[in-house]
Amino acid sequence: MSFLTGAFLFGALAIAAPLLFHLIRRTPKARYEFSSLMFLKPSPPKLTRRSRLDQWLLLLLRALAILLLAFAFMRPYLRTEAELSLNDAPQRHIAILIDRSASMRRGDLWDNAVAKVEEALDGLESTDLVSLFAYDEKLEMLITPETAGGVDRAERRELVREQLQSLKPTWGASDLGGALLGVAERLQSADDMQQTHAALQILLVSDLQAGSQLDALQMSEWPESVRVDVRSVAPEEVGNARVRLVAAAESDVDQAPRVRVRNAAGSSVEQFEVVWSDGQTDQSRAVSFYVPPGESLVLEVPVEPGGLAPDRVQLRGDSSGMDFDDTYYQVPAIQEQIKLAYFGDDAASDPEQMLFYLTRAFDETPARKVDIESIAGDEMPNWEFDAKPRFAVIADSLSAAQQTGIDRYLEAGGDALVVLRNDEMVGQLGSWLGGVTSASAQPKASGPQSYALLGTIDFQHPLLAPFAGARYNDFTKIRFWRHRRVDLDKDDGAVVIARFTDNSPALWSIARGEGTLYVISSGWNRDDSQLALSTKFIPLLSRWLELATRDGLAEQSYVVNQPAPLPVASEERIVTTPDGKPIKVAAEETTFTATSVPGIYTLTDGTQAMKFAVNVADAESEVEPLDLGQLEQFRVPLGVAPSQAAQLDQMRQLRDAELESRQKIWKWLVVAVLGLLGLETLLGAFRSRQPVQVAGDLA
Amino acid sequence: MSSAANRSTGHPRQGASLIDPGSLMRIKNLELRARAIVEGFLSGLHRSPYHGFSVEFTEYRQYSPGDDPRFLDWKLYGRSDRYFIKCFEDETNLRCHLLVDLSRSMNFGTVGYNKAEYAKTAAATVAYFLQQQRDAVGLLTFDDAIVDVIPPRFRTGHIHHIMMSLERAPAGTGTDIEKPLEQIAATVAKRGVVVLISDLLTPIGALQKNLSYLRARGHEVVILRVLDPREVDFRFDQAAMFHDIESGRDIYVDPSEAREQYLASFGEHADSLQTICNQLGIELHTITIERPLELMLFNLLTERMSRGAKVRQRGSAGGAV
């Protein structure tokens, strides 16, 4: 016989109550003083006989009823099945997930994190299975759940310890959501594969900084069977400051570079210095900043004139151990001189002409200066090496020499745009353009309704790809008063990028050698269209310039682990990392992915060297503690999975409860109690009819 | 007793003339209480139609040989030429001993005052009444021992001594009626009237012996038995612990069950007492304390008068007093 709730046995102590009441006689409350008791004899309740049990049968019945009731409350049952063994309970599978993002470089965070993992390893049960993961923005599986088969559990723990010793924090940002989800899925799939039905647990060791990305959790459903036990590590210093270069506006050509210093909330330091440096020595005077905690400040930090071009801004005065984000790298700003050729006899000052708008489209910026070379007449300048323009706009009929020169330019990789301003140009350049014939001339519109719009636009084409977004793809406000209706020779490889609403080609491209020839069948002068006045005009021209820069880098600044797009090349290139290590990049590679360290990288393509900067992600500098409530909002169950012994205990309790509910012995006991109470009532009633002497003697 | 008493054949007017004992007990001064009762009682007497007729017959006696010639009334002899003995003053002047029981059992009372208070008032009343009639009154108070003894006197201020002695609070425990009776018998040579005021809740045996002894010494004994109504009817509404005031003993008694037995025992005791009194020629007046004191005095005097008449009749028949 076993019991479900043995504590109710104490209820049996209530037997003492009837016994006590039985023995304690009721002392009469009334009291009279009387002159003499010589004529009185005491009535039966005799105070001298308090301790004798008179109604032992009643007492026995009452005590038995209480005993049986206590027994029923203990929920007795008969244990008939075999005992459960430890093997019946599911084991635990614990995936240790350690944060090794750049923020873990602060102070002694990393050592603390490793110590926490080792402490957790020491506290595991012998049956627990362990795997090890590390994450920054990528999840790295160091000891995977699938390798459980071959290796002994104790050996796995030693493997985990060894891996931990070799592990170091990286410069990457932390994608906590992705890492958690990845580990959870791996745990679940491994559990499904091995059919172990283990209790799945992620042991997260991290600084849990506010900049951790949790977006992945929002997009996917968290597997309910996986619990997350968070062991956070925190540095002694709570503050952190960071420095970033503020992008200069295009109009601020002559302004000194500006930097933004942001101080974390709760920081103990407020006074900072910022200085330009080349990695060896300071290249400018230090500028002092007073930034209160939780605020940011933008100030100019001028570069010393005449010195070497500094490539980094350094922040000084940050809390100790918080210097991982105190340097911001920037490729020294060199203004690019871009030449653009314009074939046509337009006057740059005439607003009716196209050149007027073209010259005003490219303002000078610190990064770029566009010079437009206007070529009138039949001459063809000699474009050799650096003298050749980045892009050519042909707005007039070309002479034979010019056609030959342009052909050579295109073959060498140059890009050109032909604007068909009139039907004569179509006739003269039709064959050179590859079979363009005039369909019929579009008369100048006389009414407001007589205009054409771009009807079909190929946003997949590299030229218009930047306009593909919903905010930018509205071309309906650009009205074309006149355009040339042409037919294209389909065999010539012309790719139509846009068509007018009458289905005639508006813009198309033709590959010529290394270069590309674009043709547009309407001009941006006021007689032809509103294109020059639209918001699309300058981005479109800039895009032509970008596409023409085939041998240059698209951008010069990236964050750690962000792939840097490489220019097309025909042979192997070398990227030199900030620590001077050369990495070979095959010719067909379009991106460089080994941007694992912040600093200045140098891409060497033949004789040409291009630099790009890699910095620590901004989010990594947000070191305020993350609210764990966010994890709970994504329905991530926090807490420790029950150990095998605890689960076994729980199973045993469940089984016992089930047995008890099946047998329901307590019901019979309650029936017996009712029977006893009935008997007691009958006996009590019978006794109360007895002589009065005993009536007062009962409890 | 006194001449005034002997003259009275009526009874006090019922109703207005009777003083409620509860109101009376609120008067603190015992002498005032006694005076209020006696004066009311006397005024009742004055209205008696038989007032003053029996003086001559009882106060003069014809001379017989052997009588002391000093007591001859020569004035009467001068008028009537017969010898009369003026024996009146000497014979009728009473020496009265008031024996008042002040034991703890007398502290019991359920009508707003207790038996002791009633007994003291009764004693004071009798003393005052006798004092008014120029009789000598003495007092002996007792509980388990004799407390105060005041010999009978008739002089100015004596009554105050008696009153002060009566007003003293009782302090004893049990009732030992033997000692006071023995002492009276031993010390009082002159015969007189002994008025015992007590509840007599004592064993009959001892009482009988001492009363007999007292009677044997020639004393006339009058017993005023003072009881609380509850002692007589034993009406208690619920079972309770009964505490004996004298002994301090507690017993549990259910009155509904014990009443019959109590009344039987009590009645038996009372009957035995009455029998003894009858045998010894003792007047026994039983009175419950809620009854007016005038009635007590009236009964006492009526009884005395009827006894006096009987004595006189016997005297005239046999000549012996």
Side-chain angles (χ1 to χ4, degrees):
Chain A
M1 179 74 74
S2 304
F3 303 97
L4 212 58
T5 47
F8 277 102
L9 185 62
F10 288 108
L13 294 178
I15 291 175
L19 198 67
L20 213 60
F21 291 138
H22 213 83
L23 290 176
I24 297 174
R25 316 279 164 166
R26 188 169 47 206
T27 309
K29 286 178 187 169
R31 178 183 167 85
Y32 295 128
E33 291 197 330
F34 201 61
S35 51
S36 175
L37 302 181
M38 61 184 292
F39 307 119
L40 282 172
K41 286 179 183 168
S43 294
K46 297 158 196 153
L47 297 174
T48 49
R49 296 172 59 207
R50 285 189 171 195
S51 58
R52 211 187 73 184
L53 290 176
D54 294 324
Q55 302 291 331
W56 61 267
L57 194 57
L58 274 177
L59 176 68
L60 193 69
L61 284 175
R62 289 167 187 173
L64 200 59
I66 289 173
L67 193 67
L68 279 181
L69 204 60
F71 199 58
F73 269 98
M74 285 164 68
R75 312 275 291 271
Y77 63 96
L78 298 167
R79 186 171 284 170
T80 52
E81 294 172 19
E83 284 290 316
L84 290 168
S85 73
L86 206 59
N87 293 331
D88 296 328
Q91 62 189 8
R92 276 195 304 186
H93 190 157
I94 294 170
I96 297 170
L97 178 61
I98 187 166
D99 181 2
R100 58 166 176 176
S101 62
S103 61
M104 292 295 285
R105 290 176 170 270
R106 292 180 290 156
D108 51 359
L109 272 192
W110 181 251
D111 293 338
N112 290 346
V114 171
K116 285 238 178 209
V117 174
E118 291 195 336
E119 183 191 340
L121 282 173
D122 293 339
L124 292 181
E125 285 191 329
S126 59
T127 52
D128 291 340
L129 191 66
V130 184
S131 48
L132 180 66
F133 297 80
Y135 77 97
D136 41 18
E137 58 224 334
K138 293 192 297 286
L139 177 65
E140 190 175 356
M141 285 162 282
L142 301 166
I143 295 170
T144 59
E146 289 81 4
T147 55
V151 190
D152 182 44
R153 285 170 198 220
E155 286 176 26
R156 279 175 72 83
R157 279 172 213 189
E158 286 312 308
L159 276 175
V160 169
R161 285 181 211 278
E162 283 173 23
Q163 285 281 358
L164 267 181
Q165 296 308 320
S166 60
L167 215 55
K168 290 279 179 264
T170 66
W171 290 98
S174 54
D175 180 10
L176 177 59
L180 279 175
L181 209 60
V183 176
E185 284 167 1
R186 289 301 292 262
L187 274 179
Q188 216 177 21
S189 63
D191 192 48
D192 288 346
M193 267 170 45
Q194 295 163 9
Q195 298 279 311
T196 49
H197 305 294
L200 305 178
Q201 166 94 61
I202 295 175
L203 181 73
L204 173 66
V205 180
S206 165
D207 59 349
L208 288 175
Q209 36 108 212
S212 302
Q213 296 295 313
L214 295 173
D215 301 349
L217 291 174
Q218 199 169 17
M219 288 183 278
S220 302
E221 187 78 14
W222 180 264
E224 282 182 12
S225 58
V226 185
R227 280 173 169 272
V228 178
D229 179 16
V230 180
R231 310 271 176 99
S232 61
V233 285
E236 290 174 2
E237 295 277 348
V238 288
N240 178 45
R242 70 181 182 210
V243 62
R244 293 289 181 272
L245 201 64
V246 180
E250 290 191 348
S251 56
D252 301 337
V253 181
D254 300 327
Q255 203 175 23
R258 295 185 303 162
V259 294
R260 176 186 286 115
V261 175
R262 178 170 175 74
N263 197 4
S267 175
S268 56
V269 289
E270 299 170 336
Q271 192 67 45
F272 304 97
E273 279 187 350
V274 177
V275 66
W276 282 100
S277 167
D278 61 355
Q280 304 294 326
T281 54
D282 292 353
Q283 295 295 316
S284 72
R285 279 187 295 112
V287 177
S288 290
F289 282 70
Y290 172 77
V291 188
E295 294 186 14
S296 64
L297 189 68
V298 177
L299 267 188
E300 291 182 3
V301 182
V303 184
E304 293 290 328
L308 289 170
D311 59 5
R312 66 198 71 182
V313 189
Q314 279 190 335
L315 178 74
R316 292 172 188 163
D318 200 359
S319 306
S320 63
M322 303 292 163
D323 52 355
F324 73 103
D325 58 351
D326 287 352
T327 305
Y328 186 80
Y329 297 94
Q330 165 82 8
V331 174
I334 299 168
Q335 195 178 49
E336 194 180 7
Q337 302 286 330
I338 298 174
K339 205 161 89 176
L340 199 144
Y342 183 83
F343 291 87
D345 54 359
D346 293 356
S349 57
D350 183 3
E352 297 294 325
Q353 304 292 329
M354 290 201 299
L355 187 60
F356 177 82
Y357 299 101
L358 193 64
T359 52
R360 282 158 179 78
F362 301 105
D363 277 341
E364 185 181 353
T365 68
R368 183 179 74 182
K369 185 182 180 194
V370 180
D371 291 325
I372 299 175
E373 182 189 4
S374 181
I375 301 161
D378 298 338
E379 292 177 24
M380 180 63 205
N382 184 21
W383 292 338
E384 295 293 339
F385 302 109
D386 292 343
K388 75 175 178 182
R390 175 77 58 87
F391 192 64
V393 178
I394 300 160
D396 209 347
S397 296
L398 297 174
S399 64
Q402 284 174 327
Q403 286 182 9
T404 311
I406 295 293
D407 279 338
R408 199 162 53 244
Y409 166 72
L410 288 171
E411 289 292 333
D415 283 4
L417 169 67
V418 177
V419 183
L420 298 176
R421 297 178 67 185
N422 45 48
D423 292 328
E424 289 77 40
M425 275 187 76
V426 178
Q428 289 171 11
L429 297 179
S431 57
W432 179 70
L433 291 175
V436 176
T437 53
S438 178
S440 62
Q442 178 77 11
K444 186 177 178 181
S446 56
Q449 298 299 323
S450 305
Y451 56 83
L453 298 176
L454 292 179
T456 309
I457 302 169
D458 179 13
F459 288 111
Q460 302 293 323
H461 193 277
L463 179 66
L464 295 185
F467 300 98
R471 288 175 60 189
Y472 313 109
N473 64 5
D474 180 13
F475 281 75
T476 56
K477 290 188 179 156
I478 307 171
R479 298 178 181 179
F480 292 87
W481 312 118
R482 289 198 309 187
H483 67 274
R484 267 41 71 185
R485 297 190 64 189
V486 294
D487 292 323
L488 301 181
D489 184 359
K490 290 174 183 170
D491 298 335
D492 198 47
V495 177
V496 178
I497 302 167
R499 286 179 186 275
F500 288 111
T501 41
D502 59 7
N503 209 30
S504 65
L507 176 65
W508 64 95
S509 67
I510 306 157
R512 288 284 171 88
E514 294 290 323
T516 309
L517 182 64
Y518 297 92
V519 186
I520 186 167
S521 59
S522 177
W524 57 79
N525 52 325
R526 291 171 67 177
D527 279 350
D528 274 8
S529 71
Q530 290 180 316
L531 180 61
L533 302 179
S534 81
T535 55
K536 306 287 190 284
F537 182 58
I538 294 172
L540 189 64
L541 288 178
S542 297
R543 184 64 186 154
W544 263 310
L545 285 187
E546 274 178 26
L547 289 175
T549 319
R550 286 201 184 80
D551 54 352
L553 286 164
E555 286 181 43
Q556 288 184 314
S557 185
Y558 301 92
V559 294
V560 173
N561 289 341
Q562 181 186 5
L566 296 177
V568 179
S570 55
E571 57 187 17
E572 191 179 73
R573 295 152 290 181
I574 292 173
V575 175
T576 311
T577 60
D579 46 9
K581 199 170 82 173
I583 299 174
K584 289 181 181 174
V585 182
E588 61 273 15
E589 289 286 341
T590 56
T591 56
F592 176 72
T593 54
T595 53
S596 57
V597 182
I600 303 291
Y601 289 71
T602 309
L603 170 67
T604 311
D605 186 5
T607 55
Q608 195 180 9
M610 289 165 285
K611 290 186 173 179
F612 59 94
V614 173
N615 285 298
V616 175
D618 279 1
E620 208 52 24
S621 299
E622 296 169 15
V623 293
E624 291 86 5
L626 179 76
D627 181 14
L628 280 180
Q630 290 188 38
L631 285 179
E632 286 174 334
Q633 282 172 9
F634 294 126
R635 300 189 175 186
V636 176
L638 300 181
V640 185
S643 67
Q644 203 175 15
Q647 288 185 71
L648 185 69
D649 198 39
Q650 202 176 3
M651 284 170 67
R652 195 174 285 137
Q653 279 184 9
L654 279 174
R655 194 202 61 173
D656 289 352
E658 191 190 338
L659 269 178
E660 195 275 336
S661 70
R662 221 185 299 149
Q663 295 171 358
K664 284 192 172 39
I665 296 176
W666 66 271
K667 283 188 175 175
W668 295 108
L669 289 170
V670 169
V671 169
V673 167
L674 290 175
L676 279 176
L677 289 179
L679 199 61
E680 187 267 346
T681 310
L682 285 175
L683 191 64
F686 176 72
R687 287 291 169 93
S688 65
R689 280 192 232 111
Q690 294 290 309
V692 201
Q693 282 88 335
V694 292
D697 206 20
L698 290 177
Chain B
M1 203 179 262
S2 72
S3 57
N6 290 337
R7 280 197 306 269
S8 68
T9 50
H11 57 84
R13 286 182 305 163
Q14 299 292 320
S17 65
L18 297 180
I19 305 171
D20 171 42
S23 317
L24 191 69
M25 294 303 168
R26 282 199 283 275
I27 303 172
K28 282 193 174 176
N29 190 294
L30 201 56
E31 192 174 345
L32 283 180
R33 274 188 219 166
R35 188 179 293 171
I37 298 165
V38 171
E39 283 178 358
F41 179 73
L42 286 180
S43 68
L45 283 183
H46 287 307
R47 287 190 182 89
S48 163
Y50 305 105
H51 175 64
F53 276 91
S54 61
V55 176
E56 285 183 26
F57 296 99
T58 54
E59 292 183 352
Y60 289 95
R61 183 165 63 81
Q62 208 168 13
Y63 174 77
S64 62
D67 287 341
D68 191 343
R70 285 182 296 171
F71 302 114
L72 280 171
D73 189 343
W74 296 112
K75 288 180 182 174
L76 194 63
Y77 174 72
R79 282 200 306 269
S80 62
D81 203 18
R82 288 195 297 182
Y83 295 105
F84 285 99
I85 295 294
K86 196 181 173 185
C87 60
F88 166 76
E89 285 188 351
D90 188 44
E91 282 189 356
T92 56
N93 245 17
L94 196 66
R95 295 178 66 83
C96 181
H97 291 271
L98 294 170
L99 267 64
V100 183
D101 179 2
L102 294 180
S103 65
R104 281 196 180 173
S105 68
M106 294 293 284
N107 281 345
F108 179 67
T110 59
V111 292
Y113 48 90
N114 54 31
K115 293 189 290 182
E117 203 61 35
Y118 194 89
K120 286 193 282 187
T121 310
T125 306
V126 172
Y128 188 79
F129 181 77
L130 293 177
Q131 172 77 15
Q132 289 292 90
Q133 305 194 71
R134 308 176 64 80
D135 291 330
V137 187
L139 175 70
L140 190 145
T141 56
F142 64 95
D143 40 55
D144 54 342
I146 293 166
V147 180
D148 272 332
V149 178
I150 299 175
R153 294 271 194 285
F154 172 71
R155 62 182 179 201
T156 313
H158 182 65
I159 190 75
H160 294 296
H161 282 124
I162 291 174
M163 295 297 172
M164 281 172 67
S165 177
L166 281 173
E167 280 178 351
R168 205 171 294 154
T173 51
T175 309
D176 187 357
I177 207 158
E178 290 184 42
K179 276 186 192 169
L181 295 183
E182 276 175 14
Q183 187 163 353
I184 293 281
T187 55
V188 178
K190 277 189 174 181
R191 290 181 297 172
V193 179
V194 174
V195 180
L196 171 62
I197 306 177
S198 169
D199 53 8
L200 292 180
L201 295 174
T202 49
I204 288 292
L207 203 61
Q208 186 178 14
K209 188 184 82 177
N210 288 293
L211 288 173
S212 307
Y213 191 48
L214 205 61
R215 283 294 291 152
R217 293 296 299 263
H219 291 290
E220 195 175 328
V221 179
V222 177
I223 298 176
L224 272 179
R225 191 177 188 203
V226 180
L227 291 171
D228 188 88
R230 288 286 172 88
E231 289 171 333
V232 179
D233 57 16
F234 200 71
R235 294 206 179 277
F236 290 96
D237 50 1
Q238 58 177 325
M241 293 300 296
F242 277 69
H243 176 72
D244 191 329
I245 298 176
E246 287 200 354
S247 66
R249 193 160 64 101
D250 283 332
I251 59 169
Y252 178 81
V253 175
D254 188 349
S256 60
E257 295 167 21
R259 188 162 180 267
E260 272 184 41
Q261 176 264 323
Y262 173 86
L263 292 179
S265 301
F266 186 79
E268 194 181 332
H269 182 268
D271 290 347
S272 305
L273 192 64
Q274 188 63 57
T275 309
I276 292 165
C277 288
N278 290 342
Q279 286 172 354
L280 296 174
I282 295 172
E283 287 178 41
L284 174 65
H285 300 277
T286 303
I287 187 161
T288 51
I289 61 172
E290 89 281 16
R291 305 203 69 195
L293 276 153
E294 289 96 324
L295 285 179
M296 179 273 296
L297 197 58
F298 176 75
N299 289 340
L300 192 68
L301 292 180
T302 317
E303 181 74 14
R304 296 284 314 148
M305 255 178 51
S306 63
R307 280 178 72 87
K310 283 177 191 170
V311 169
R312 276 196 302 277
Q313 282 169 8
R314 264 185 296 188
S316 59
V321 178

